[in-house]
C-alpha cells in the first residue's frame, strides 16, 4: 500500500494492470539521476504466489529496455539474494524496488553478467527455479 | 582367523568369478558375516605407510561413506583383515563397477526402445515408407535388449546376487543397531527391536562403509522389479525380502545412519516393490508380502521412517532438482496408501499427528506438521501445473483442429507436434501425482481433521480448496475441456468430488468455515452451488447434500465475521500485523527486533525459515513473548466499538 502513497523517486505501479490481475504487477521505474541509467525507463514484473508474503515474489525486468548490468541477464532475470534465499516476509514491494534501484545506481560499468548467453539459453522461465550463485556484493 | 578352504583369488584369478564369491557368502547365511570387518575400507593397504596386512583397499577409502566423517578426525581400523572381509568388499567393488553398470545400460536401452516404439507407431500410422526400416531397427534393438536381459537375470546369477545383497543388508542392520560404544564388530545376531537405538549418536563404523553398497542394493532391486519382477516371488527371491524390509525400516528414516537423502528416497522405492500387488491372484504370495509389513518386530517404525524420508527429500535444498522430488514421492504415496489400509500402521499415523498437535509451535516444527505442510504445497503445485498444462493442450488442439498447423512449414509443424507430445506427458505426470496427493489429503483429513484446521495451516488449506474448486466448477472450467481427457489422467469430475469430500471432512470446525469465506482470492457465494450442480450431474447426490450444509456453515461464519470486520475497519496502525495488515488477535513480541506481530503470522514464517523476518536473527516460536499490553488495548478498543454499535442499532430500532 505504501508504495502507492509514497513511492521511491522514479517508481510507479501500473494500477490498471494490477486491477485486472491482483497477483501480477508491473512497476515502472526510472534510472536515478546521476547514475549510468539516468533517463532510462524500465518495467519490472512482479508475480505473487499464493504463499506470498511467506514466499518471495517472482521479479523480472520486462519490456523493451532491460538494463545492462552485471547482475541482470538479458532475459530480465535478476541475480539478487533477497529475491530468493535471503527473502523475508517483512520486505515489501517497495523495499524490493529500492534494492533494485540501489543495485542499478551503484553500477560502475554497463555490462551483462559473464555467463549471460549460456544462462539465457538454459534457464527456466521462472527465475526462482534457478539456483543462484551470488558473484559478489560490491555492485 | 578364517579357514582358508575357499578358492584363493590370487591363485587362479580368472576362475574366481564374482558369482562364486557371492555364493560362498550366501552359503554362510549364519553368523559368518559377523566376521566382516566394517573398518576395512578405511585401512591403509599393505605397501603404503602403516599398511595393514589383508587390507586390499585401493580407492575404497575415497568412496563416499554412509555417514560423512568430520574433517580431521581419524577413523579406527584393525591391525589385520580376514580373507572374508577382503572378499566381501572386493565383491562389492566388482558389483559396483560391473553388474550395476550393465543394469544401467539395460535400463537405457529399454527406455530407448520405448521411444522407438512410439515413433514407429506414429510413422506407420502416417503410412510412411520409413516404417519398414524403422521396424527392422526396432527388432534389432529388441533382440539386443532380450540378450541383455537374459545375461543380467540368468537365474543362478540373480539368486546369488540377491542373496549376497541380503547378507549385506542384514550385516548393515546389525552394525546400525549396535550401541555406538561397542568397539568390536558384532559376534552374534541381534534382533531388531523397537524402540530403535536413539540415532542422534553417529556410529563410527557407518563412517567407514562406502555408500555404494547400498546403491548396488537399491539399483538391483529396482532392476529386478522392472525387468524380472516374478523373480521376487520365486522361493530364491522371497528369502531376500525380509532382510530388505529390515534394512529399510532401520535406514530409511535415519539421516544419522545414512546421510544421503537420495539413497534413502530410493529405499522408499524399494519399499514400494515389496507391496503386495493388489490385483495379483496368488493368495499365498500376497499373504507373504502382507506379513512382511506386519510381522517384522520393528514394523511399527515404518510410518515414521516413511514420513521422515518424505520430508527430508524437501530439505536437501539444492541437491534435489525441482521435478526429481516428485519422482521420489510417487512411490511414497503408494506406500502411504497401502499402510493406511492396515489398522496397525494407520494407528501410527494418528500417534504421530497427535504428537505434532501437542507441539505445533515448538522450536523445531514437528515432523508431521512439516509433512502435512509439504502435502499441501505439493497439492497446490501439482494441481495447478496440471491444470495449466490442460489449458495449453486445449489451445494446441484447437489450433490443430482448425488447420492452423497444416499451413506451417514441415519443420515447424514437427516442432509443434513434438511440444504437444511433451506437454501431454507433463500433463499426465502432474495430473497423476496431483491426484495421489489429494487422495492422501482425503485420508488424513478424515482421520485427523484437527491438523488441517489448526491456525497455522487453516488459511492455506481453505485457500487451496477454494482455488481448485472455483477453477474446476467456475467460469474458467471451459478452458480445460480437452479431447481424450482419460489419456492425460485428467478427471475433473472426480477431482471436484475429491475436493468437496475434503470440505466435508473439515467444515465442523468454525475456524475452517471462516477461512473458506474470508479467502478473497477464489471464494464467491456461488461457489458451492456451482459445485453442487456438478456433483448432481455426476450423480453424487449425498455429497451434494453435504456440500449444501458446508455452504450454509460457511455463510454463517462469513456473516458473523463481517460484523467483526466492520468493527476493525478503522483500527489504529499499531493494532495491525506489520506483515499481513490484519487486526492482530494474539500479538507477540519478537525478542530480537522488539517488533510485534500476530502469532499466526510468525508461526507461519518460522515453518520455512527459523529467523526473525525483520532482522534475520535466529528465532524460535518458544522465544516469542505475548504482548499482553497491546492485547489489552486491542480488546478494549474492540469492546468500545461493539458497545457503540449496539447503541446505534438500538437507536435505529
Amino acid at each position: 500500500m505504501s508504495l502507492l502513497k509514497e513511492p521511491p523517486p522514479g517508481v510507479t505501479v501500473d494500477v490498471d494492470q494490477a486491477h485486472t490481475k491482483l497477483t501480477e504487477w508491473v512497476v515502472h521505474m526510472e534510472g536515478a539521476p546521476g547514475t549510468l541509467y539516468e533517463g532510462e525507463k524500465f518495467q519490472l514484473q512482479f508475480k505473487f504466489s499464493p504463499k506470498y508474503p511467506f514466499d518471495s515474489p517472482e521479479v523480472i525486468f520486462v519490456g523493451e529496455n532491460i538494463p545492462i548490468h552485471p547482475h541482470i541477464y538479458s532475459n530480465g532475470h535478476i541475480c539478487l539474494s533477497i529475491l530468493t534465499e535471503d527473502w523475508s516476509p517483512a520486505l515489501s514491494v517497495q523495499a524490493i524496488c529500492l534494492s533494485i534501484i540501489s543495485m542499478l545506481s551503484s553500477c560502475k560499468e554497463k555490462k551483462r553478467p559473464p555467463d549471460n548467453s549460456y544462462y539465457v539459453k538454459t534457464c527456466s522461465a521462472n527465475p526462482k527455479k534457478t539456483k543462484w550463485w551470488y558473484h559478489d556484493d560490491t555492485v | 582367523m578364517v579357514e582358508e578352504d575357499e578358492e584363493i583369488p590370487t591363485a587362479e584369478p580368472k576362475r574366481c568369478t564374482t558369482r562364486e564369491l557371492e555364493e560362498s557368502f550366501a552359503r554362510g547365511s549364519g553368523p559368518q558375516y559377523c566376521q566382516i570387518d566394517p573398518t576395512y575400507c578405511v585401512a591403509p593397504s599393505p605397501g603404503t605407510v602403516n599398511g595393514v596386512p589383508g587390507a586390499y583397499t585401493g580407492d575404497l577409502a575415497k568412496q563416499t561413506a554412509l555417514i560423512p566423517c568430520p574433517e580431521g578426525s581419524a577413523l579406527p581400523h584393525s591391525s589385520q583383515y580376514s580373507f572374508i572381509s577382503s572378499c566381501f568388499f572386493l565383491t562389492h567393488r566388482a558389483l559396483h563397477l560391473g553388474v550395476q553398470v550393465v543394469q544401467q545400460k539395460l535400463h537405457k536401452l529399454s527406455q530407448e526402445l520405448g521411444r522407438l516404439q512410439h515413433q514407429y507407431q506414429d510413422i506407420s500410422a502416417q503410412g510412411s515408407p520409413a516404417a519398414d526400416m524403422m521396424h527392422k531397427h526396432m527388432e534389432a534393438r529388441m533382440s539386443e535388449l532380450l540378450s541383455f536381459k537374459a545375461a543380467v537375470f540368468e537365474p543362478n546369477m540373480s539368486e546369488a546376487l540377491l542373496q549376497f545383497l541380503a547378507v549385506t543388508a542384514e550385516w548393515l542392520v546389525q552394525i546400525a543397531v549396535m550401541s555406538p560404544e561397542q568397539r568390536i564388530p558384532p559376534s552374534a545376531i541381534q534382533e531388531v527391536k523397537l524402540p530403535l537405538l536413539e540415532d542422534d549418536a553417529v556410529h563410527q563404523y557407518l563412517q567407514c562403509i562406502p555408500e555404494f553398497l547400498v546403491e548396488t542394493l537399491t539399483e538391483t532391486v529396482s532392476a529386478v522389479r522392472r525387468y524380472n519382477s516374478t523373480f521376487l516371488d520365486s522361493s530364491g527371491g522371497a528369502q531376500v525380502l525380509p532382510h530388505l524390509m529390515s534394512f529399510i525400516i532401520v535406514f530409511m528414516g535415519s539421516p544419522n545412519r545414512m546421510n544421503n537423502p537420495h539413497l534413502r528416497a530410493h529405499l522408499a522405492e524399494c519399499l514400494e516393490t515389496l507391496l503386495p500387488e493388489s490385483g495379483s491372484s496368488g493368495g499365498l504370495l500376497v499373504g507373504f508380502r502382507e506379513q512382511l509389513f506386519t510381522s517384522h518386530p520393528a514394523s511399527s517404525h515404518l510410518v515414521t521412517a516413511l514420513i521422515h524420508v518424505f520430508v527430508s527429500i524437501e530439505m536437501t535444498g539444492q541437491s534435489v532438482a525441482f521435478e526429481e522430488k516428485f519422482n521420489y514421492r510417487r512411490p511414497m504415496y503408494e506406500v502411504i496408501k497401502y499402510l493406511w489400509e492396515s489398522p496397525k500402521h494407520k494407528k501410527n499415523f494418528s500417534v504421530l499427528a497427535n504428537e505434532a498437535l501437542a507441539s505445533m509451535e515448538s522450536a523445531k516444527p514437528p515432523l508431521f506438521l512439516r509433512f502435512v505442510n509439504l502435502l499441501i504445497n505439493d497439492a497446490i503445485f501439482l494441481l495447478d501445473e496440471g491444470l495449466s498444462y490442460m489449458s495449453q493442450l486445449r489451445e494446441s488442439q484447437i489450433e490443430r483442429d482448425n488447420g492452423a498447423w497444416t499451413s506451417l512449414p514441415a519443420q515447424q509443424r514437427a516442432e509443434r507436434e513434438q511440444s504437444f507430445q511433451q506437454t501431454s506427458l507433463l500433463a499426465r505426470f502432474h495430473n497423476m501425482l496431483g491426484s495421489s496427493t489429494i487422495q492422501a489429503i482425503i485420508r488424513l483429513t478424515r482421520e485427523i481433521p484437527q491438523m488441517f484446521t489448526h491456525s497455522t495451516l487453516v488459511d492455506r488449506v481453505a485457500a487451496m480448496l477454494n482455488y481448485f474448486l472455483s477453477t474446476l466448477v467456475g467460469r474458467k472450467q471451459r478452458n480445460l475441456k480437452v479431447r481424450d481427457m482419460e489419456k492425460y489422467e485428467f478427471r475433473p469430475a472426480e477431482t471436484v468430488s475429491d475436493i468437496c469430500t475434503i470440505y466435508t471432512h473439515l467444515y465442523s470446525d468454525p475456524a475452517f468455515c471462516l477461512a473458506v469465506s474470508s479467502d478473497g482470492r477464489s471464494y464467491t457465494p456461488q461457489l458451492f452451488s456451482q459445485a453442487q450442480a456438478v456433483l448432481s450431474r455426476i450423480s453424487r447426490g449425498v455429497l451434494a447434500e453435504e456440500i449444501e450444509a458446508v455452504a450454509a456453515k460457511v455463510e454463517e461464519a462469513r456473516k458473523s465475521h463481517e460484523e467483526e470486520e466492520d468493527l476493525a475497519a478503522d483500527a489504529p496502525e499499531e493494532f495491525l500485523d506489520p506483515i499481513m495488515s490484519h487486526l492482530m488477535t494474539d500479538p507477540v513480541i519478537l525478542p530480537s527486533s522488539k517488533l510485534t506481530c500476530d502469532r499466526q503470522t510468525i508461526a507461519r514464517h518460522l515453518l520455512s525459515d527459523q529467523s526473525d523476518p525483520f532482522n534475520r536473527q535466529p528465532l524460535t516460536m518458544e522465544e516469542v513473548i505475548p504482548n499482553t499490553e497491546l492485547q489489552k488495548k486491542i480488546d478494549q478498543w474492540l469492546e468500545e466499538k461493539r458497545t457503540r454499535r449496539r447503541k446505534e442499532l438500538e437507536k435505529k430500532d
Side-chain angles (χ1 to χ4, degrees):
Chain A
M1 272 322 275
S2 63
L3 186 64
L4 298 180
K5 281 182 248 157
E6 41 195 282
V11 173
T12 46
V13 180
D14 192 325
V15 181
D16 294 336
Q17 155 78 28
H19 272 291
T20 50
K21 198 169 180 192
L22 209 55
T23 56
E24 267 184 54
W25 290 19
V26 171
V27 173
H28 297 278
M29 151 181 298
E30 270 171 40
T35 69
L36 293 178
Y37 303 92
E38 179 165 353
E40 288 189 60
K41 288 194 165 73
F42 309 112
Q43 276 101 54
L44 267 182
Q45 175 188 274
F46 283 72
K47 279 190 186 172
F48 302 97
S49 76
K51 286 199 266 169
Y52 178 82
F54 297 99
D55 185 21
S56 61
E58 176 192 324
V59 186
I60 54 173
F61 277 105
V62 291
E64 299 287 294
N65 192 15
I66 307 285
I68 298 178
H69 184 280
H71 291 173
I72 299 167
Y73 290 90
S74 55
N75 61 355
H77 288 196
I78 309 164
C79 176
L80 182 65
S81 66
I82 58 161
L83 295 180
T84 48
E85 52 211 58
D86 285 343
W87 169 253
S88 154
L91 289 166
S92 57
V93 171
Q94 188 181 11
I96 296 176
C97 290
L98 267 175
S99 284
I100 291 177
I101 290 184
S102 95
M103 184 174 104
L104 288 177
S105 301
S106 59
C107 176
K108 296 181 199 72
E109 188 195 353
K110 280 181 157 190
K111 59 173 184 196
R112 292 276 179 226
D115 54 342
N116 185 57
S117 57
Y118 176 74
Y119 174 77
V120 170
K121 273 191 209 119
T122 54
C123 68
S124 145
N126 181 353
K128 294 178 69 181
K129 290 184 186 172
T130 303
K131 180 69 194 164
W132 293 104
W133 184 268
Y134 300 100
H135 302 279
D136 74 278
D137 296 334
T138 57
V139 189
Chain B
M1 266 309 289
V2 199
E3 322 86 314
E4 302 203 343
D5 58 356
E6 308 277 351
E7 291 180 53
I8 298 168
T10 46
E12 257 190 293
K14 273 182 198 154
R15 287 211 29 163
C16 185
T17 62
T18 26
R19 216 198 91 200
E20 285 162 83
L21 279 171
E22 282 155 15
E23 277 180 344
S24 72
F25 274 104
R27 274 202 299 277
S29 63
Q32 195 177 2
Y33 69 71
C34 294
Q35 295 176 33
I36 302 166
D37 190 326
T39 64
Y40 184 87
C41 294
V42 297
S45 357
T48 61
V49 187
N50 301 327
V52 178
Y56 305 103
T57 49
D59 63 348
L60 282 173
K62 292 197 204 88
Q63 305 294 320
T64 314
L66 288 172
I67 297 291
C69 175
E71 237 167 89
S73 66
L75 290 166
H77 62 79
S78 315
S79 54
Q80 61 172 347
Y81 287 94
S82 63
F83 180 62
I84 287 197
S85 299
S86 289
C87 288
F88 178 78
F89 285 104
L90 296 182
T91 305
H92 259 297
R93 188 77 181 122
L95 290 177
H96 186 59
L97 293 174
V99 173
Q100 214 193 317
V101 175
V102 180
Q103 285 167 355
Q104 281 163 2
K105 280 198 175 147
L106 173 67
H107 189 47
K108 262 208 193 118
L109 189 59
S110 122
Q111 280 178 330
E112 192 198 326
L113 202 61
R115 269 196 302 275
L116 278 178
Q117 259 160 354
H118 262 287
Q119 282 172 8
Y120 173 70
Q121 276 162 9
D122 285 353
I123 288 184
S124 56
Q126 289 163 16
S128 159
D132 247 4
M133 270 183 39
M134 186 94 188
H135 190 250
K136 277 200 191 111
H137 182 53
M138 216 168 69
E139 289 284 294
R141 297 303 265 171
M142 180 56 102
S143 34
E144 214 173 304
L145 179 84
L146 291 175
S147 343
F148 251 103
K149 263 176 83 169
V152 176
F153 298 110
E154 188 272 315
N156 289 328
M157 155 90 180
S158 285
E159 197 172 323
L161 176 59
L162 274 169
Q163 279 181 13
F164 178 65
L165 291 173
V167 169
T168 305
E170 200 50 54
W171 175 70
L172 284 168
V173 167
Q174 291 297 321
I175 301 277
V177 297
M178 266 165 63
S179 101
E181 291 83 48
Q182 196 177 328
R183 288 281 176 238
I184 34 165
S187 52
I189 296 171
Q190 258 188 67
E191 201 192 3
V192 181
K193 286 194 299 265
L194 282 178
L196 293 172
L197 272 180
E198 264 318 309
D199 60 3
D200 43 358
V202 170
H203 206 297
Q204 256 187 336
Y205 285 155
L206 297 177
Q207 296 177 333
C208 304
I209 302 170
E211 67 177 20
F212 72 76
L213 268 62
V214 181
E215 223 171 89
T216 308
L217 178 73
T218 57
E219 296 264 319
T220 303
V221 170
S222 55
V224 168
R225 172 213 174 136
R226 269 195 208 108
Y227 305 110
N228 197 16
S229 60
T230 48
F231 180 75
L232 287 177
D233 290 324
S234 70
S235 60
Q239 281 171 18
V240 172
L241 303 184
H243 302 287
L244 192 55
M245 183 55 111
S246 248
F247 184 75
I248 292 171
I249 291 174
V250 174
F251 281 85
M252 183 171 67
S254 167
N256 281 329
R257 299 199 181 99
M258 192 154 84
N259 182 53
N260 186 343
H262 298 267
L263 218 46
R264 281 188 283 118
H266 284 305
L267 287 185
E269 235 168 90
C270 291
L271 193 58
E272 192 205 6
T273 310
L274 301 185
L275 291 178
E277 267 175 64
S278 48
S280 118
S281 50
L284 228 148
L285 290 172
V286 172
F288 175 72
R289 293 283 185 101
E290 270 167 11
Q291 268 206 342
L292 263 186
F293 277 83
T294 49
S295 65
H296 191 283
S299 61
S300 326
H301 188 62
L302 263 181
V303 172
T304 316
L306 184 65
I307 289 181
H308 199 293
V309 69
F310 187 101
V311 172
S312 47
I313 268 310
E314 187 86 10
M315 299 306 166
T316 51
Q318 63 235 50
S319 55
V320 178
F322 204 70
E323 316 291 336
E324 198 178 10
K325 163 177 103 182
F326 296 111
N327 278 324
Y328 282 144
R329 287 198 176 142
R330 190 202 50 77
M332 298 183 195
Y333 284 127
E334 290 304 309
V335 179
I336 290 177
K337 187 170 149 194
Y338 175 74
L339 292 179
W340 192 259
E341 297 303 318
S342 137
K344 175 179 165 181
H345 291 300
K346 188 166 163 185
K347 199 185 79 215
N348 289 323
F349 279 103
S350 306
V351 169
L352 268 182
N354 287 330
E355 276 171 23
L357 280 167
S359 59
M360 288 294 266
E361 287 174 356
S362 83
K364 242 180 99 206
L367 181 65
F368 206 78
L369 172 60
R370 281 154 70 193
F371 168 64
V372 169
N373 188 42
L374 294 176
L375 269 185
I376 296 170
N377 282 355
D378 276 11
I380 294 176
F381 177 82
L382 290 166
L383 285 181
D384 209 17
E385 290 284 289
L387 292 178
S388 83
Y389 285 125
M390 291 320 284
S391 64
Q392 279 177 35
L393 284 179
R394 177 183 158 86
E395 275 169 33
S396 303
Q397 279 189 352
I398 292 175
E399 263 180 37
R400 185 158 65 174
D401 290 354
N402 60 28
W405 288 13
T406 41
S407 57
L408 290 171
Q411 197 194 343
Q412 266 189 40
R413 201 167 57 211
E415 272 167 23
R416 290 284 167 92
E417 214 32 85
Q418 206 179 5
S419 95
F420 182 76
Q421 294 300 341
Q422 186 68 19
T423 313
S424 319
L425 282 180
L426 284 170
R428 201 180 123 84
F429 176 78
H430 285 88
N431 287 333
M432 224 162 67
L433 262 180
S435 138
S436 306
T437 316
I438 289 288
Q439 292 302 329
I441 294 180
I442 292 184
R443 284 184 208 108
L444 293 170
T445 49
R446 185 184 306 131
E447 224 54 41
I448 17 184
Q450 324 83 284
M451 194 81 205
F452 291 81
T453 56
H454 190 276
S455 63
T456 46
L457 289 173
V458 69
D459 286 335
R460 298 181 55 216
V461 173
M464 166 183 88
L465 295 173
N466 287 346
Y467 172 64
F468 289 117
L469 195 59
S470 73
T471 313
L472 289 166
V473 302
R475 270 183 301 121
K476 285 185 235 154
Q477 167 209 4
R478 260 170 290 139
N479 298 342
L480 305 169
K481 285 249 164 65
V482 171
R483 253 178 304 151
D484 316 319
M485 295 203 281
E486 263 320 288
K487 199 169 121 195
Y488 310 113
E489 301 274 339
F490 183 57
R491 302 183 188 87
E494 265 169 55
T495 312
V496 169
S497 89
D498 284 349
I499 291 190
C500 288
T501 310
I502 300 177
Y503 277 106
T504 64
H505 289 162
L506 300 176
Y507 83 105
S508 58
D509 190 325
F512 172 73
C513 292
L514 178 59
V516 168
S517 72
S518 49
D519 156 40
R521 190 167 172 232
S522 343
Y523 177 74
T524 57
Q526 299 83 42
L527 183 61
F528 290 113
S529 48
Q530 285 167 337
Q532 241 182 311
V534 172
L535 290 173
S536 323
R537 209 160 50 229
I538 57 171
S539 45
R540 301 289 304 267
V542 184
L543 191 56
E545 268 169 45
E546 275 181 280
I547 279 297
E548 201 169 345
V550 173
K553 277 278 234 172
V554 167
E555 185 54 25
E556 192 182 300
R558 190 189 62 83
K559 269 205 188 121
S560 71
H561 182 70
E562 213 167 59
E563 284 161 19
E564 290 286 307
E565 193 92 302
D566 258 9
L567 285 176
D570 53 347
E573 190 81 20
E574 63 163 331
F575 293 175
L576 300 181
D577 179 87
I579 288 174
M580 301 302 280
S581 301
H582 61 244
L583 184 68
M584 290 187 274
T585 51
D586 188 359
V588 292
I589 304 171
L590 312 182
S592 75
S593 63
K594 306 273 183 285
L595 287 165
T596 294
C597 70
D598 212 10
R599 182 182 293 276
Q600 70 185 65
T601 309
I602 191 66
R604 168 82 201 279
H605 169 68
L606 291 179
L607 280 182
S608 51
D609 185 357
Q610 255 106 70
S611 73
D612 183 327
F614 298 98
N615 61 8
R616 302 204 172 100
Q617 296 299 308
L619 176 71
T620 65
M621 210 52 213
E622 277 144 356
E623 290 163 11
V624 304
I625 308 154
N627 191 338
T628 39
E629 203 182 322
L630 186 61
Q631 175 89 68
K632 232 180 263 164
K633 273 200 206 164
I634 296 176
D635 289 346
Q636 224 166 21
W637 180 83
L638 273 175
E639 198 42 53
E640 273 169 31
K641 286 210 74 169
R642 276 200 198 103
T643 347
R644 218 175 312 145
R645 157 169 316 181
R646 223 173 297 132
K647 278 184 190 150
E648 274 167 26
L649 284 177
E650 276 163 21
K651 245 188 244 163
K652 265 187 208 160
D653 294 340

